[in-house]
Amino acid sequence: MSVVIRKTTKEMVSEVHELSNLEGWNISAANLTLLLQTFADSTFCAVDADNRVVGESKVVGHCMAATVTDNLCFGGLLVVKKERRNEGIARKLDSARREFVGNRNFSVNGLIVHLDGHMKSRFKHHVFDMKGFANNIINKEKITTPTKYKFVSLTEDMVDSLGRYDTGINIGVCRANLQKPWTFSEPARTIVALDGASICGYATVRPAETGKLLAPLYGDSPDIISSLFAQVLQSLIDEGEAMFVQVPTDNKTMMELVGIAGLREIYTMNRLYSKEAVTLPLDKIAAIMTAEATIC
């Protein structure tokens, strides 16, 4: 059966969501919709060209790219329906994405089982690893909050200041088109850490398909990271509630905290770049915002 590659439309989002669920990616419909709307010009679906079966899914594959800078793109959400694999659909999707990326530096988070293949193909730099953790939260009381910092819920008058802080984490690049709705619009809940009047970190919790997604958590020091994590557990996550988070392994503080909270490792990903490695402040990045569209 032949397929055609098309830009993802809002009518296709529910089918892409279904594909992601079949892969066990735990992406909520709200989170997926926001990503696909933000990067509408660079998300692609493989659609059956001659599907005439009423009620049968027409979307059989998907991938996306996201422009980070004029010279850097990020890619994710590459998936093909299980029964349609080995038909060259992934290659067609990747070809459309490559055309969008052009000659720019390209980055992905690749599963560790595919690392050798990635490094033999288009990627030259394996910069760091990150691990996905999930489980029902336990031991909330073992993670404490130092009293020197103030923690407040994000309000509209703080949005621009938070955006400037986020830009500092994100290699100096403003990403307000995603960051603002991701952190401030419903159903997001964001806690901001203040040292005096200055923002020194923040954490956002959004619903996952199952449980809650902590994404991101940034902090200027280990004690701020620990304090923010404690605040998240105390005010945004119920005891015994499932939580999902993706942690750079170089952030030793957060790697220790997720273990204390009872989270379990479920996968490892490698951050790869095709041309030039990008250095991130991983000591400040305790949890990334997305694995699909952002570099941190």
Side-chain angles (χ1 to χ4, degrees):
M1 188 178 293
S2 62
V3 300
V4 293
I5 306 301
R6 295 176 179 167
K7 295 285 184 67
T8 306
T9 65
K10 63 181 181 180
E11 291 79 15
M12 298 175 183
V13 172
S14 62
E15 294 185 55
V16 176
H17 183 227
E18 182 180 351
L19 280 178
S20 70
N21 281 341
L22 292 174
E23 292 298 303
W25 288 350
N26 201 27
I27 302 175
S28 70
N31 294 349
L32 181 64
T33 299
L34 177 54
L35 290 177
L36 298 185
Q37 287 177 343
T38 303
F39 303 102
D41 289 339
S42 52
T43 68
F44 306 96
C45 278
V47 181
D48 273 332
D50 53 355
N51 188 327
R52 297 182 177 86
V53 180
V54 176
E56 186 174 320
S57 174
K58 294 183 179 181
V59 175
V60 296
H62 180 268
C63 75
M64 70 175 293
T67 297
V68 180
T69 70
D70 290 342
N71 299 312
L72 174 63
C73 285
F74 195 86
L77 287 176
L78 176 58
V79 59
V80 174
K81 205 170 185 179
K82 189 172 183 180
E83 58 267 30
R84 299 297 301 277
R85 293 171 188 175
N86 301 314
E87 296 181 24
I89 295 172
R91 286 194 297 274
K92 291 181 179 180
L93 285 164
D94 189 52
S95 178
R97 184 165 63 182
R98 283 177 183 248
E99 184 176 350
F100 173 82
V101 172
N103 199 40
R104 290 177 284 184
N105 192 13
F106 184 56
S107 179
V108 297
N109 293 316
L111 288 174
I112 194 168
V113 294
H114 301 309
L115 178 60
D116 288 344
H118 283 313
M119 297 304 289
K120 290 176 181 177
S121 58
R122 68 191 298 188
F123 297 100
K124 297 179 180 178
H125 304 282
H126 171 197
V127 181
F128 66 90
D129 295 334
M130 70 181 74
K131 292 183 182 292
F133 293 91
N135 204 2
N136 297 334
I137 291 295
I138 59 174
N139 301 327
K140 292 173 60 170
E141 72 285 351
K142 292 185 178 181
I143 300 173
T144 58
T145 303
T147 57
K148 63 178 292 187
Y149 304 109
K150 182 179 179 181
F151 300 94
V152 297
S153 296
L154 178 62
T155 55
E156 188 170 4
D157 62 312
M158 301 175 65
V159 167
D160 289 343
S161 296
L162 188 69
R164 289 190 290 272
Y165 176 85
D166 183 85
T167 295
I169 299 291
N170 190 48
I171 62 172
V173 178
C174 177
R175 53 177 177 181
N177 61 331
L178 176 64
Q179 185 263 340
K180 184 176 179 179
W182 185 271
T183 58
F184 188 61
S185 300
E186 290 290 340
R189 295 292 181 268
T190 296
I191 297 174
V192 181
L194 299 172
D195 188 356
S198 300
I199 294 176
C200 56
Y202 79 91
T204 296
V205 171
R206 295 179 61 89
E209 186 68 11
T210 302
K212 299 286 182 62
L213 171 68
L214 172 57
L217 192 158
Y218 303 144
D220 289 348
S221 66
D223 59 335
I224 295 170
I225 289 171
S226 179
S227 301
L228 267 170
F229 191 54
Q231 287 290 316
V232 166
L233 296 187
Q234 291 167 15
S235 59
L236 300 181
I237 308 292
D238 295 330
E239 184 78 17
E241 186 174 24
M243 189 178 80
F244 176 64
V245 62
Q246 298 174 110
V247 181
T249 57
D250 286 358
N251 195 295
K252 304 305 181 185
T253 300
M254 193 64 173
M255 289 292 290
E256 180 179 352
L257 290 171
V258 293
I260 295 172
L263 298 181
R264 297 177 182 175
E265 178 185 339
I266 52 177
Y267 59 78
T268 299
M269 296 187 294
N270 316 116
R271 173 59 56 80
L272 308 173
Y273 293 91
S274 65
K275 292 189 173 184
E276 297 177 0
V278 175
T279 301
L280 295 169
L282 295 177
D283 59 325
K284 298 181 179 183
I285 301 170
I288 66 168
M289 182 177 288
T290 79
E292 298 81 27
T294 59
I295 61 172
C296 65

